Amino acid sequence: MLILILSFVGLMLCGLPVAVAMAGGSLIYILVSGSVPDIVLAQRMISGIESFPLLAVPFFILAGNLMNIAGITGRIYNFAIALVGWMKGGLGQVNIIGSVIFSGMSGTAIADAAGLGTVEIKAMKEHGYSTEFAVGVTAASATLGPIFPPSLPFVIYGMMANVSIGALFVAGILPGIVLTVLMMLTVAYYARRQGWGGDVAFHWGRLGSAGLEILLVLAFPMAVWLAVKAGASVNVAALSAFVVLLVLDWRYNFSAVLALMAPVILIGGMTMGWFTPTEAAVAAVLWALFLGLVRYRSMTLKTLAKATFDTIETTASVLFIVTAASIFAWLLTTTQAAQALADWILSITSNKWVFLLLANLLILFVGCFIDTIAAITILVPILLPIVLKLGIDPVQFGLIVTLNLMIGLMTPPLGMVLFVLARISRLSVERATMAILPWLIPLLLGLVAITYIPALTLWLPQQMGLLK
């Protein structure tokens, strides 16, 4: 056990990537201990990605990339301006709402920061907001991506913890709304202190049009559900609702109706049991292709090829981390390291509320140093047995793990969202870090609420029959 952990830590201190350090540490342990054949390394790494839920990963990534090049990002941003741009601190509120909507397409905080961040930071600077404020609000709102469904970390956690991914997706909706409200209140506080007004004039017609677009989009899953209840097949009902929305979009030129359909298809479809997360991700890819090639005609072979290669690169990175972490986690289990760590934690406390506090501190610390996917695959085998023993719902714990790791993405020394936004805004990492620090307050308040109010996470999936 000691050889395994020391090898992993030593390789990381030498500057190797986390995935390489995990695979290398595992190989060193196998060679030194001689307890298992070295062929097991390859076998366990391959078996780590032989999972149907993991098929959703490349499709979610591809859908997010295609949504970007289809021109949907700009339409979402314009829609958010119409919806909340008139509020005090207008573009700060737009930043948050835009991230909420975009999160339903990308599923990752980094994609959110890179996709909308470029547009949002540029627009906020042009309207007189400081670069630091723009970076802070963009970083904070980017964390909403993996909380609102769909979510790449939820897919990995669901696979590791053997938990319904659909239940995790639905469980993220109410916490995501709470975090959104907390961030919007923070923007309002800054706006009041700085004397900022709205960035677009209030107009009932613009607000009514934006509200109508939301109602039309939200009506889609409800219309399909009612049609199915009335005896129609899912395919016929979905096609009928799709045609109606398509006609309305072409007739009245609603900019956001079709753009917003992807997250609604994903969330509504999985909630109502129409398809699995993998099938939902494929549907999102097809939808993005339809919008980019047919409706908006903004895709070219060059941009399509770039999106595909970006997807291959990101998917390879994610799956390599999963394979390396799977052998590392397996060795932690077989060497009784995970059990020893669990016993040590239980020797400190058997109170689930105290354990959740300690778990938050541990996950938050790990998230500052290790990639999200790697952190999930390492921590879940160690902490999940304790979670189950103390009677904590694993779905709630999945939200706790994900939000902690999202906060870790904003903080040094290895916060990827921090580095992405520092590059986009051309701020130094030090200044970007200082800009982000005040935004940890609403995020930590949201984390406390998710941790100590289980109903916030569990009520909605229970009402929908996804949890007992």
Side-chain angles (χ1 to χ4, degrees):
M1 178 182 78
L2 199 59
I3 296 173
L4 177 66
I5 295 174
L6 290 178
S7 300
F8 168 60
V9 174
L11 291 173
M12 277 193 63
L13 292 176
C14 290
L16 292 177
V18 175
V20 176
M22 283 191 292
S26 301
L27 181 60
I28 290 171
Y29 171 79
I30 288 173
L31 294 176
V32 171
S33 68
S35 56
V36 290
D38 52 8
I39 191 64
V40 170
L41 180 72
Q43 290 174 341
R44 297 301 307 184
M45 290 179 74
I46 292 171
S47 65
I49 55 172
E50 287 182 339
S51 170
F52 180 73
L54 279 180
L55 277 176
V57 172
F59 289 111
F60 276 136
I61 296 170
L62 179 58
N65 288 336
L66 292 177
M67 291 290 177
N68 267 331
I69 67 170
I72 295 170
T73 303
R75 285 176 170 81
I76 290 173
Y77 189 72
N78 292 333
F79 172 74
I81 288 176
L83 198 63
V84 296
W86 51 273
M87 295 181 178
K88 289 186 176 181
L91 287 188
Q93 308 286 15
V94 168
N95 193 316
I96 294 167
I97 295 300
S99 292
V100 169
I101 298 170
F102 189 73
S103 68
M105 302 175 186
S106 66
T108 64
I110 297 172
D112 195 341
L116 277 177
T118 306
V119 178
E120 291 168 337
I121 291 174
K122 181 175 181 293
M124 291 181 74
K125 288 167 68 175
E126 289 174 351
H127 279 75
Y129 293 90
S130 68
T131 305
E132 284 81 358
F133 178 75
V135 168
V137 69
T138 303
S141 64
T143 62
L144 294 170
I147 301 300
F148 276 103
S151 165
L152 219 54
F154 283 172
V155 173
I156 304 299
Y157 176 87
M159 182 197 69
M160 294 293 301
N162 196 26
V163 171
S164 165
I165 295 172
L168 285 166
F169 282 2
V170 175
I173 295 175
L174 285 182
I177 292 172
V178 169
L179 287 167
T180 301
V181 171
L182 288 172
M183 289 180 195
M184 292 184 75
L185 289 174
T186 306
V187 172
Y189 167 77
Y190 272 105
R192 183 180 180 84
R193 197 176 71 174
Q194 300 291 336
W196 296 333
D199 291 301
V200 297
F202 178 79
H203 190 274
W204 279 110
R206 185 188 296 117
L207 183 61
S209 177
L212 180 59
E213 291 187 65
I214 287 180
L215 290 176
L216 284 172
V217 172
L218 294 180
F220 178 84
M222 184 56 65
V224 176
W225 182 77
L226 290 173
V228 171
K229 286 292 184 183
S233 70
V234 172
N235 292 334
V236 171
L239 182 62
S240 301
F242 165 75
V243 170
V244 170
L245 285 178
L246 199 61
V247 170
L248 285 172
D249 178 70
W250 249 294
R251 174 67 179 82
Y252 298 104
N253 195 29
F254 288 133
S255 63
V257 167
L258 292 183
L260 290 171
M261 280 300 302
V264 172
I265 289 173
L266 288 167
I267 300 166
M270 284 180 289
T271 300
M272 296 179 184
W274 300 340
F275 34 58
T276 65
T278 300
E279 293 166 342
V282 174
V285 170
L286 295 175
W287 188 256
L289 288 171
F290 167 77
L291 293 181
L293 295 173
V294 180
R295 179 64 180 97
Y296 303 139
R297 298 185 181 181
S298 52
M299 284 184 187
T300 63
L301 286 176
K302 183 178 179 180
T303 57
L304 196 57
K306 183 180 184 304
T308 303
F309 283 116
D310 287 346
T311 301
I312 293 170
E313 181 181 347
T314 307
T315 302
S317 174
V318 170
L319 293 184
F320 179 55
I321 292 170
V322 172
T323 57
S326 64
I327 179 63
F328 188 78
W330 179 76
L331 288 174
L332 280 177
T333 303
T334 57
T335 59
Q336 300 298 309
Q339 185 61 45
L341 288 170
D343 291 342
W344 176 71
I345 293 172
L346 287 173
S347 70
I348 298 174
T349 180
S350 58
N351 183 297
K352 71 175 184 178
W353 305 115
V354 177
F355 164 74
L356 285 173
L357 174 62
L358 296 175
N360 273 310
L361 294 174
L362 172 63
I363 300 165
L364 193 57
F365 176 77
V366 170
C368 293
F369 293 91
I370 298 180
D371 175 85
T372 300
I373 307 301
I376 289 173
T377 50
I378 292 172
L379 291 173
V380 169
I382 296 172
L383 298 178
L384 190 63
I386 308 174
V387 168
L388 297 175
K389 189 171 183 178
L390 295 179
I392 301 166
D393 194 289
V395 170
Q396 179 196 2
F397 192 67
L399 267 292
I400 293 170
V401 169
T402 301
L403 183 53
N404 271 298
L405 295 178
M406 291 309 100
I407 295 173
L409 284 177
M410 295 171 54
T411 53
L414 297 176
M416 287 303 298
V417 167
L418 170 67
F419 290 117
V420 167
L421 292 178
R423 186 175 70 247
I424 290 173
S425 63
R426 297 181 181 178
L427 277 182
S428 67
V429 174
E430 293 78 14
R431 287 179 64 191
T433 302
M434 295 305 296
I436 286 171
L437 286 179
W439 292 93
L440 293 178
I441 296 173
L443 286 169
L444 291 175
L445 287 174
L447 179 60
V448 170
I450 292 170
T451 302
Y452 293 105
I453 308 176
L456 184 64
T457 301
L458 303 177
W459 179 80
L460 192 57
Q462 285 171 346
Q463 295 302 308
M464 293 184 171
L466 296 171
L467 289 177
K468 294 181 181 178

